Amino acid sequence: MSKIQLEILENQAHLIFDNKESSANIFDTDTLKELEKHVSTLEQNNSIKRLYIRSAKDSIFIAGADIQQIRHIESKEQAVNAAETGQRIFKRLSNLKCYKIAIIHGACMGGGLELTLACDARIASNHKKTKLALPEVKLGILPAWGGSTRIPKLLRFDKALDLLLTGKTLDGKRALKIGLVDACCPPEKMLEVATTFKVKRKKTLMHTLMGVGFVRNYALKKARQSVGRSTRNNYPAPLKILNHLTDHANSPEEISYESEARKLGELAVSSECKNLVQLFLNKESADKDRHWQDKIKKLPDIKKLATLGAGVMGGGIAHLAAKKGYEVRMRDISIDGLNLGMKSASSLVQKELKRRRIKKFEAIKTMSHILPVIDITGFSKVDAVIEAIVENIDIKKSALAEVEATVDKDCIIASNTSSLSITEMATALKRPENFIGMHFFNPVHRMPLVEVIRGESTSDSTVATIVDLTQSLGKTPVVVRDGPGFLVNRLLAPYMNEALRMVEEGLHPEFIDEALLDYGMPMGPCHLVDEVGVDVANKVAHILKDGLGERMKGSSLAAELVSQKKLGRKTGSGFYEYTGKTKECASRFKNHSWTGQTEDIQLRCLLPMWNEALRCLDEKVVETAEQLDLAMILGTGYAPFRGGPFTAATTYGWDKVLQKLTKLSERYGERFKAADNIQQFIET
Amino acid sequence: MTNCVILDACRIPFTKSDGAYKKLSAVDLGVRCTTALMERSPLPPEKLDGLIAGNVGSPCDSANIARVIGLFSNLPETLPAHTVARNCASGIEAVTTAVEKIRAGSGNVFLAVTTESMTQYPLLMGPQLTNFFKKLGKARSLVQKISIISSFRPGFLTPRITLLEGLKDPSNGMMMGDTADLIARDWDISREEQDQYALQSHLRALEAQEKKLFDDELIPVFTPEGKVISQDDGPRQGQSIESLRKLRPVFDRRYGTVTVGNACGITDGAAALLIASKKSAEKNGWPILAGIKGFAWTGCDPKRMGLGPVSASTALLHKQKLSFDDMDVVELNEAFSAQVLGCLRSFEDSKKVGVPTIEKLNPQGGAIALGHPVGATGGRMILSVAKQLERQQLKYGLATLCIGGGQGGAILLENPHV
């Protein structure tokens, strides 16, 4: 089936990307082949003066290369070949004598954007669906179809660096501002503008200055430092991009292309790339998955929400929903409680306004969608309620029962609890089939994961409704079974427990944290305990011990700190001392030792998590290992380039895992005993 | 004539200008009331036939403030909206316009929102400065630009203070306070009487706050600075007659009696009310707060605008064949003590509809303590009358205001459950 149409009328030609088999245009091998064929045709035709390249899709220009094909690259040569193919075809396109204009409306990413860079001019629409980016770095590779060569030549050097290293997305207006596109106009006007458009590019003084040798080198140095700081050099892609720019920003084209291709070869076979691509696919699958919704005859239309509790979570959830256009009643039992929620929502909105991410009217609209109330009579009009009050089962039960009596019989009630049983809470309700867990992560506006927790009585319809709501709110749902700690906290707890035990045994908290930061975690475990709250971590450990057994027992150090009211950041000190923006090791631990191997510290924390992951899969807490990995990466930031706990353990080798666990259980006790199902993973 | 009722109403606390609400516009204040009222109302927003806003100091970025409030209040795009103004009585005007529309058959339910931010009244460039910038904008050559720039005089910078200009009657050049001083002279109302009346307003308001009598009118406001405002901040704890006596007259420094102490405060505030035909309320089972029995608008001498309530109440009560003896609650806006006392003397003098007793007149204090956000006051007064009738199971309540420019407005409410 054809993916590109070539239409020739007199001296104008149109290359229209329209994949009939999909709603998206993607540069898979077939599409590339077809493009090459059309380019050949165009090379033969001398009468064409102007070539327009556009898409027939509603909201996609070309969304990039085929991610599945990147996934299946097995050798360096394969990757180099793929790079060279694209480079060759785009080069031939750019050598065509006619004036080539790309008409960009919708998503124009990666290879799609690289195609337009081979044109003489680019026109983008000012529509909100139009997005331009080179996100290859996020997948562990780099633009290798000429993008890494053409971008530094086209844009001011620092802008080029930014685009390539962060993979950030630009809308039409911003793209015009940095010179990535040459015009930005309403979608209906694009063709008209394109027929007479002739680009006039003027280099500003800043642009020239940025290209000067020592300025460029300085920018590269700064970028390298920044990448080092934020990634601890765990991600090879940004480093290779920097190397390429350092060595080849001024090289002849051919050399630069060859560098691109070579680096693609090195990166595409790396485990980092494989894992990032898998993460991308897993997330996309969870975001777009409709198999729950398809089970239900008629999905309820959710327009009005309510949150119970206006604390950090309640306020954050209310803000999230209000921003997406839902009418949200935010309820608290006290005015000061409501003020807390309103303050957190208001400060989020004001920050976005200051950063020019939103306009004033959007700020007013978001805030006016949040209705702070003490009285719940208005809840009779609500379609779903999300409870986010204090973690106390009796208080929750009574509040939920009170709400159930006011809401419509079809209204869904969800709890944001992080540790209490959904099934147990449902016993307080008359319609337990409409009750479910909807566990957001802190802070709500930044963490993409929502654990959708199915209680024993929760109906399919309720699961489908909440999965749908989660996706509509822009979050990624992972459905898990009700159980202590659900999934994420259950896996996080033993990891944190070991870290605290090591502190108890005399290791320095910073030493432990550094080890895990080096591993690729976003925050060290001791710091994490402080941020979560030592009391919270302690309480969760208790609940997990009661529900799952001795292996989940928390460290006595945590209990001690709680009794001393050293709860972490919220009291100013825990494992660290917090003053303003600075963090210093707490005096009590200052003299702890720094002896030990980094890898041993890492494994000591990670092995119990990996072990617990096996149990979660065995007990079908979550359906698949991919979802388990996805949940841990999105919910805790588990080193994404390692693919998540299950993938990381598989890479390490389950046989080695068993060996290490056995050794550790000999030394430290039962809690390190391997999960019963470990053998089946050793065999595969 | 179609009977109209108030289904429900609420207001935000009134605060002194340039204070708690300084970052909030009249739109923000109005939206807060509207969203809170509709949140708790059993009435679905699709049933509204119109939104009418009463506002005086129209913010220049929100032309037809009613529409802007409507668009930010989660109400349907299809809801028509318009803004009315009748100076200090713009709030009552919004309600009576709704009543007239219902009586005319233009709809069954209307949302009236009364709002004012006197803090955000702008300073304007005077005509000389405006002219200067206009010419500068048109200048093309460097020579032209230099020539225009050199024509600049520091005097151009004198701004027009819209707040002050708004409180001056252009037809006679008198500030509102000057008209009060005139009434004080006409009726021989002493400085001491005015100060005593002012003190009473504060004491009554403070007592009402203590007894939580405003709680069923108020909804809290959460400001962008992170503060929650749940009470009016006008009433002064420890207001004393001594401190009032110490104040110097502000409009006529030598011979006047009107001071900032015995005049209403410059304030920000808002209120919202749902007005419907009695028939549609009963048909849909919507609870009724109060019935609107009638209203009247009259014109009077602009130099003595403070006596507006006299002609308006007289006209209204006369038409209804009632007198002040039949009224259980009377809210007469306290623009100035002198003006309130002047009205009382005038009622006594004319003997046409009786006189409100001191007990029933502004029993919970008035604008001297609570403030007078000009476009919003009418909403507050109507809400206050309705709630007092409901709480105390009384029958009739009258709200009446004087209007800058020489008008009076009066509205009569009745408790349908008594």
Side-chain angles (χ1 to χ4, degrees), chain B residues 6 68-69 117 184 245 297 327 367 380 387 409:
Chain B
I6 304 171
V68 179
I69 291 175
S117 167
R245 283 176 189 152
W297 298 106
M327 297 297 111
R380 174 188 71 74
K387 287 291 180 183

Side-chain angles (χ1 to χ4, degrees), chain A residues 231-406:
Chain A
T231 69
R232 292 201 168 217
N233 296 328
N234 275 320
Y235 290 83
L239 296 170
K240 291 222 192 281
I241 292 174
L242 281 166
N243 291 344
H244 169 82
L245 290 172
T246 309
D247 299 333
H248 300 293
N250 275 341
S251 297
E253 227 175 52
E254 291 312 316
I255 311 279
S256 183
Y257 280 1
E258 188 259 339
S259 164
E260 279 183 24
R262 196 175 0 106
K263 290 187 168 56
L264 182 69
E266 290 157 13
L267 289 169
V269 297
S270 70
S271 65
E272 291 89 352
C273 171
K274 297 291 179 218
N275 288 333
L276 290 172
V277 167
Q278 190 60 48
L279 170 61
F280 175 88
L281 292 169
N282 288 348
K283 183 171 192 295
E284 195 183 53
S285 165
D287 287 339
K288 300 207 165 105
D289 180 51
R290 292 200 68 80
H291 89 273
W292 283 103
Q293 291 93 318
D294 293 337
K295 285 193 207 178
I296 307 305
K297 221 179 292 177
K298 187 170 181 293
L299 203 62
D301 190 20
I302 309 264
K303 290 219 177 65
K304 299 185 206 236
L305 299 174
T307 67
L308 284 182
V312 176
M313 295 306 277
I317 297 170
H319 165 261
L320 173 73
K323 197 169 164 196
K324 293 280 178 188
Y326 291 89
E327 194 183 288
V328 195
R329 282 155 174 76
M330 185 173 68
R331 190 240 178 162
D332 201 285
I333 49 174
S334 81
I335 296 250
D336 289 322
L338 280 180
N339 195 24
L340 221 62
M342 290 301 280
K343 259 204 288 200
S344 57
S346 173
S347 78
L348 281 168
V349 166
Q350 284 180 45
K351 268 195 206 127
E352 288 180 308
L353 198 57
K354 209 166 171 199
R355 293 195 186 138
R356 306 229 179 138
R357 293 236 168 92
I358 57 170
K359 299 239 168 73
K360 184 155 177 237
F361 70 86
E362 290 167 306
I364 301 179
K365 270 223 160 98
T366 298
M367 289 311 291
S368 71
H369 272 77
I370 303 177
L371 310 169
V373 291
I374 301 252
D375 187 275
I376 63 169
T377 33
F379 278 37
S380 56
K381 306 187 227 177
V382 152
D383 304 308
V385 178
I386 303 172
E387 169 275 304
I389 60 180
V390 66
E391 280 287 276
N392 172 310
I393 191 128
D394 296 313
I395 298 179
K396 279 199 200 285
K397 275 183 176 174
S398 118
L400 290 168
E402 186 196 0
V403 160
E404 194 192 34
T406 314

Side-chain angles (χ1 to χ4, degrees), chain B residues 163-185:
Chain B
L163 178 59
L164 288 181
E165 294 198 29
L167 292 172
K168 193 182 224 192
D169 184 340
S171 76
N172 53 36
M174 291 172 79
M175 295 293 290
M176 293 301 109
D178 293 327
T179 68
D181 264 325
L182 179 57
I183 291 174
R185 290 197 297 279

